[in-house]
Amino acid sequence: MKPPLTVAYFTMEVALSADIPTFAGGLGVLAADLMRSCADLAVPTACVTMCWQHGYMHQEIAPDGTQSYSEVSWDPQKFMKLLPERVNVTLEGHNVTVAAWKYDLKGTESVLPIYFLDTNLPENREEDRDITKYLYGGDGAMRIKQELILGIGGVRMLRALGYSDIGTFHMNEGHSAFLTLELLRERDFKDDDVRGSCAFTTHTPVKAGHDVFNYDLAWKIAGENLPWHIKKLAGEEQLSMTHLAMHLSHYTCGVSRVHGVVSNMMFPNEHIDFITNGIHHTHWVSKELGKLLDVSVPGWREDPSLLEKGNSHLSDADLWKAHQTAKKRLLKAIKPYTQQELNPDILTIASARRVVSYKRPELLYTNLERLKEVGHGKIQIIHAGNAHPQDQFGQEVIKRMIERSHTLKDSITIVYVPNYNPDLAALLTAGADVWLNTPMRLHEASGTSGMKAAMNGVINLSTLDGWWVEGYEQDSEAGWRIGPLAEALADANEHRKIDAEDLYTQLQYEVIPEYYYENRARWVHRMKRSIGLLSTFNTHRCIREYCEKAWRKNR
Ligand SMILES: *Cc1c(COP(=O)(O)O)cnc(C)c1O
């Protein structure tokens, strides 16, 4: 028997560090940060995820911009312990055995177990051993199997480990929604009983991003795991994991205020709240700035809401010095990837993220003449970001960006750093001067990299989408917005032109003059206001909101 849990947090991916590659991107980074805060706040939590042999891929870039992606090999034994318990899940009529590795996530106030489920066991058939091989790899059949292992296998594993009292089963995105099927079985198929102990966070503002399976395939693979009324729960036409999760949760939320609005438009019959994402502030702060804040804002580590008021005690000179140290560390780390030396006294703009079209990675390059006129000799740019190995569009974007760095080299130094991962993200979000983000409006659910930047006094320059709508509203002196806050225009190209033009204007008349010509004090003032944003956009605040709204005991 184990002590009661407030929450069992189910997630397809967790990004603890670059050498545990069981993640693809932001969803995993968020899960890790939320779990870090649960551990610090001593919220009794167990996390359930999958022991992917291959998740995030190592990216290399040739001088001509072509990329190769290779699997990161890792040995779970180095980081975690294989537990003796085994559970079974029936797939396609035969038995699959599931094991779990336990990772101890150490917080300041408690240690939180993360259970990594694994089917790569000698007793399983070869094809079943591969279920935990590739994160988001494989076809629909493979995806159903993976999600059955996570959901049903996960609940069974928790029971086998002795967790009998679990307040809430939390589904981080729809991938884990099959956990509701096991709970239904435990509770005589009483929907209401299950609903009372489930909560759900949706992350995807576009319909195509939601997992759906056709019922023929679902019956073939999940068979007896599906209850008689599955179509009532998950949709008549197709099995929608999002519908299943929503219909069996007492609470559903999106991950920012605008994302909440968009989700309610997508699912007009549901009530979807929002809990805006955050980051784990002490994980992402540079060590130099962390030390300064210990002196100027005592208690900020335990209570980041103090950051709002205390930053006035931070000395300008000390803050600037800490920032320049982080900047030099970044420039040193990326030196192997650039022909041209980057200069720590030049305004450095970083833009790093997964390369997908809605994030408009090339917006800055819409008008090269204008960019040269604005930026010649005054800015240097660092990019990073992986494209999915099967994603032709993304790979071509990266190639074009690298070609452009060559053609522009006499006016603007541009570096594309390979292999974006959480370690590189930490360097970039501490060492840049400006964090550029240009998503197409209403497409960014939240975004969290800008929060990491703000934590380090790196100033956001972003279109108003996701979290930045709230960040900019909280303190418009903390950064700059690109383009208007408006409904997405029907014509994406028109919108693109407006945003690009405004981006050049912001750079020319706001960002560059403030950095160079005005008193540096004004820039440093903005840096402090950026740090102040972390009073809100931290995962301690998220976890308190989850406890209040989604994980309340004794409902
Ligand atoms: C923080 C982080 C993300 C999420 O950032 P976005 O704002 O969505 O771009 C993605 N990948 C890595 C490696 C990160 O560290």
Side-chain angles (χ1 to χ4, degrees):
M1 276 284 281
K2 293 257 200 318
L5 290 178
T6 297
V7 62
Y9 189 87
F10 281 64
T11 179
M12 196 68 141
E13 45 172 308
V14 178
L16 293 166
S17 68
D19 50 9
I20 306 180
T22 57
F23 63 91
L27 187 71
V29 175
L30 175 76
D33 276 3
L34 289 170
M35 293 302 102
R36 289 178 181 121
S37 282
C38 283
D40 286 352
L41 297 171
V43 176
T45 305
C47 179
V48 178
T49 186
M50 301 279 271
C51 191
W52 302 111
Q53 289 164 50
H54 304 294
Y56 130 81
M57 307 276 270
H58 183 97
Q59 178 201 48
E60 280 179 73
I61 306 181
D64 72 349
T66 49
Q67 302 128 65
S68 55
Y69 293 87
S70 55
E71 294 168 349
V72 179
S73 65
W74 70 294
D75 181 1
Q77 287 191 88
K78 279 199 193 136
F79 306 94
M80 38 190 112
K81 201 172 107 229
L82 185 61
L83 301 175
E85 286 78 5
R86 297 288 181 273
V87 298
N88 297 306
V89 179
T90 305
L91 301 183
E92 284 186 300
H94 70 272
N95 185 56
V96 178
T97 302
V98 186
W101 300 80
K102 179 167 173 270
Y103 178 95
D104 289 324
L105 180 65
K106 294 183 184 72
T108 53
E109 298 299 324
S110 70
V111 179
L112 184 156
I114 302 180
Y115 298 108
F116 286 82
L117 305 176
D118 198 353
T119 64
N120 186 17
L121 304 168
E123 55 265 49
N124 281 332
R125 303 179 184 188
E126 199 58 46
E127 77 254 31
D128 294 333
R129 296 183 64 154
D130 287 348
I131 293 172
T132 50
K133 193 161 190 178
Y134 293 111
L135 169 61
Y136 306 135
D139 55 7
M142 179 54 96
R143 182 67 83 89
I144 297 185
K145 290 180 190 171
Q146 294 174 331
E147 298 189 354
L148 287 162
I149 296 297
L150 176 63
I152 296 177
V155 174
R156 290 184 185 165
M157 182 55 75
L158 289 174
R159 300 306 188 204
L161 293 169
Y163 293 104
S164 53
D165 183 355
I166 299 174
T168 302
F169 290 80
H170 195 93
M171 293 168 265
N172 184 40
E173 193 51 298
H175 312 123
S176 53
F178 286 141
L179 71 81
T180 58
L181 306 186
E182 181 63 7
L183 296 181
L184 279 169
R185 187 170 11 229
E186 284 183 353
R187 297 165 198 195
D188 293 328
F189 298 93
K190 294 198 178 91
D191 297 356
D192 287 338
D193 284 4
V194 172
R195 203 170 285 123
S197 40
C198 291
F200 172 48
T201 304
T202 174
H203 292 261
T204 316
V206 282
K207 270 244 148 84
H210 293 254
D211 269 353
V212 289
F213 302 113
N214 78 50
Y215 275 109
D216 289 344
L217 186 68
W219 284 115
K220 177 168 172 279
I221 291 167
E224 67 199 51
N225 293 298
L226 300 180
W228 59 273
H229 63 319
I230 184 69
K231 290 193 172 180
K232 199 176 129 228
L233 299 172
E236 288 295 330
E237 303 294 316
Q238 284 183 303
L239 194 166
S240 154
M241 297 299 278
T242 304
H243 279 103
L244 180 61
M246 279 192 298
H247 289 161
L248 286 173
S249 290
H250 75 275
Y251 178 81
T252 296
C253 64
V255 289
S256 70
R257 193 176 69 210
V258 269
H259 180 234
V261 173
V262 170
S263 301
N264 279 295
M265 291 192 306
M266 263 166 45
F267 303 104
N269 300 321
E270 310 292 331
H271 174 72
I272 303 173
D273 194 24
F274 69 92
I275 295 178
T276 303
N277 282 164
I279 57 153
H280 188 265
H281 52 295
T282 56
H283 182 79
W284 293 101
V285 74
S286 77
K287 60 177 186 291
E288 291 82 9
L289 180 54
K291 276 189 200 146
L292 288 184
L293 291 171
D294 287 341
V295 177
S296 62
V297 194
W300 75 283
R301 288 180 192 268
E302 296 75 26
D303 180 6
S305 71
L306 297 172
L307 288 169
E308 190 174 21
K309 299 177 189 79
N311 298 331
S312 50
H313 300 299
L314 197 55
S315 116
D316 285 14
D318 288 348
L319 175 55
W320 187 252
K321 194 165 153 231
H323 174 65
Q324 286 299 102
T325 306
K327 188 170 180 180
K328 285 174 191 155
R329 182 165 37 225
L330 167 65
L331 299 190
K332 188 165 168 225
I334 66 174
K335 204 168 165 188
Y337 307 109
T338 173
Q339 262 72 85
Q340 295 141 287
E341 192 93 357
L342 274 78
N343 180 340
D345 295 320
I346 288 193
L347 173 60
T348 302
I349 299 172
S351 179
R353 52 194 47 88
R354 216 161 29 91
V355 179
V356 288
S357 65
Y358 81 81
K359 292 186 185 250
R360 300 189 300 188
E362 299 178 279
L363 189 77
L364 182 60
Y365 303 104
T366 306
N367 181 341
L368 295 185
E369 287 316 306
R370 189 87 170 84
L371 177 64
K372 282 196 264 186
E373 171 197 320
V374 167
H376 186 126
K378 301 196 189 86
I379 60 174
Q380 52 196 12
I381 304 167
I382 307 175
H383 291 293
N386 299 3
H388 193 276
Q390 260 98 59
D391 173 14
Q392 213 48 44
F393 163 84
Q395 302 213 16
E396 270 159 30
V397 169
I398 294 172
K399 194 154 189 276
R400 273 202 302 275
M401 290 178 72
I402 284 159
E403 285 161 4
R404 223 180 269 122
S405 74
H406 300 312
T407 50
L408 290 174
K409 75 177 189 317
D410 294 328
S411 37
I412 299 172
T413 302
I414 304 168
V415 185
Y416 203 105
V417 186
N419 198 27
Y420 187 51
N421 65 42
D423 297 352
L424 178 56
L427 280 168
L428 286 165
T429 54
D433 297 305
V434 168
W435 193 255
L436 175 68
N437 192 18
T438 54
M440 191 152 78
R441 226 145 286 140
L442 305 186
H443 282 67
E444 182 89 293
S446 165
T448 53
S449 59
M451 302 172 188
K452 301 167 194 167
M455 175 72 260
N456 286 291
V458 172
I459 301 171
N460 277 273
L461 169 61
S462 173
T463 43
L464 285 166
D465 200 14
W467 83 281
W468 189 234
V469 176
E470 292 157 70
Y472 187 76
E473 180 182 282
Q474 179 174 319
D475 187 352
S476 61
E477 286 187 50
W480 298 279
R481 58 158 182 74
I482 303 164
L485 173 60
E487 291 285 306
L489 294 179
D491 181 8
N493 266 333
E494 194 57 31
H495 214 135
R496 199 192 152 83
K497 270 193 220 142
I498 293 172
D499 284 349
E501 193 46 47
D502 198 38
L503 171 54
Y504 299 127
T505 305
Q506 295 290 327
L507 284 172
Q508 185 168 17
Y509 296 108
E510 298 275 343
V511 183
I512 292 171
E514 254 185 49
Y515 189 83
Y516 290 109
Y517 307 127
E518 291 185 28
N519 187 347
R520 183 58 50 78
R522 191 165 153 74
W523 188 274
V524 176
H525 173 73
R526 270 195 206 276
M527 292 174 72
K528 290 184 189 177
R529 301 293 282 250
S530 287
I531 297 168
L533 291 176
L534 264 290
S535 58
T536 304
F537 299 98
N538 64 78
T539 40
H540 281 26
R541 186 266 312 152
C542 299
I543 293 302
R544 290 206 177 89
E545 273 192 68
Y546 274 110
C547 286
E548 178 63 30
K549 297 171 167 180
W551 304 343
R552 206 158 37 192
K553 283 287 251 178
N554 312 321
R555 256 183 318 276

